[in-house]
Amino acid sequence: MSRFDEALVATERAIELAPQRAMFHANKARILTSLGRADEAFSALESALALEEDQEIALAEMASALQKRDGPTAARLFCEEQIAKGRDVEPLYRVLARACLEMKDMPSALDALERGAERHPASGQLQAQRAELLQRSDPKAALEAAELAARLEPDLMQVWNMLGMLRMRTGDMPGAIRALERFVQRKPDDRVAVVNLGRMLVRAKRQDEA
């Protein structure tokens, strides 16, 4: 039995004891999603939201589930509807941005992330997602967003990888090397990052470290 199966058994026991706890149903949905049981996860989310319309985990998971099951338009409508109702859940803005991007609506994707950042200024994930979207069109703005994301949530490893590449593109080779070194220390099996770090070290005439 995997740890997800064990967690599912424990969560189902909790639901038997307290069936009115929306959080238990939301947690069950997360576990079922991890197990690849999407239809059952969706049912659990519906149960959670029927019990508590503002349950944050369930709202975020439902948005993601809708995008996977019904496509970006359904996810976008759900997120916008929930935000308009005052359900100010940080992941809703991130799912909304992903849905807009899938619909090739970059301005709306960026707008969703900027609105989310205004409401949740401590979220590094919103800034990291914003940096990712801006990488090609505005490297300077992307760098600013990535730097902010790294300060807000330094354990977001993907930010350090992106930060390394953005710093290199904007001419800060020492900073780029520091960022990628931090990433590779935590993700030594990421071959692309290892190769990029090696190339940077060679360019910085530190090939003995490459």
Side-chain angles (χ1 to χ4, degrees):
M1 181 180 289
S2 73
R3 62 187 179 89
F4 290 117
D5 290 308
E6 292 174 353
L8 180 60
V9 170
T11 303
E12 287 178 334
R13 285 176 184 160
I15 291 172
E16 288 176 7
L17 294 171
Q20 299 304 309
R21 291 288 301 276
M23 183 182 293
F24 293 163
H25 293 274
N27 287 337
K28 179 181 178 181
R30 275 185 164 179
I31 297 164
L32 287 166
T33 298
S34 298
L35 289 168
R37 294 159 62 176
D39 290 339
E40 293 172 78
F42 202 88
S43 295
L45 290 170
E46 289 179 324
S47 297
L49 291 173
L51 291 167
E52 186 181 333
E53 291 183 347
D54 295 337
Q55 216 295 318
E56 293 193 1
I57 295 174
L59 285 169
E61 292 291 319
M62 179 63 86
S64 294
L66 282 169
Q67 186 169 3
K68 290 176 184 175
R69 193 188 74 167
D70 300 336
T73 301
R76 180 175 184 170
L77 289 173
F78 177 81
C79 291
E80 289 176 339
E81 180 181 276
Q82 299 307 316
I83 292 168
K85 288 179 179 178
R87 291 169 187 151
D88 191 38
V89 180
E90 186 262 8
L92 286 178
Y93 293 96
R94 290 191 277 121
V95 176
L96 176 56
R98 288 198 299 269
C100 291
L101 190 62
E102 191 174 339
M103 296 170 72
K104 304 187 186 309
D105 186 354
M106 176 70 82
S108 293
L110 287 170
D111 177 70
L113 294 173
E114 286 165 2
R115 282 190 289 144
E118 286 180 8
R119 300 292 298 172
H120 302 275
S123 171
Q125 293 191 61
L126 283 167
Q127 294 296 341
Q129 195 169 339
R130 182 167 170 266
E132 188 175 354
L133 293 190
L134 288 168
Q135 281 185 93
R136 294 182 181 176
S137 61
D138 192 343
K140 184 178 178 181
L143 177 61
E144 290 174 357
E147 297 278 13
L148 179 55
R151 289 196 299 273
L152 291 170
E153 296 187 52
D155 288 334
L156 284 175
M157 282 299 102
Q158 72 270 24
V159 172
W160 293 99
N161 188 31
M162 180 165 47
L163 198 51
M165 304 310 295
L166 286 167
R167 284 175 176 172
M168 182 185 70
R169 288 177 64 187
T170 53
D172 180 10
M173 186 62 73
I177 290 171
R178 287 195 301 273
L180 270 186
E181 283 178 335
R182 181 163 184 164
F183 178 79
V184 169
Q185 284 174 359
R186 293 283 295 272
K187 301 282 187 179
D189 295 330
D190 190 312
R191 295 184 179 180
V192 174
V194 170
V195 169
N196 286 335
L197 177 58
R199 288 174 176 168
M200 287 182 190
L201 289 168
V202 170
R203 289 179 63 179
K205 302 188 186 308
R206 293 168 55 185
Q207 49 264 55
D208 56 320
E209 301 174 49

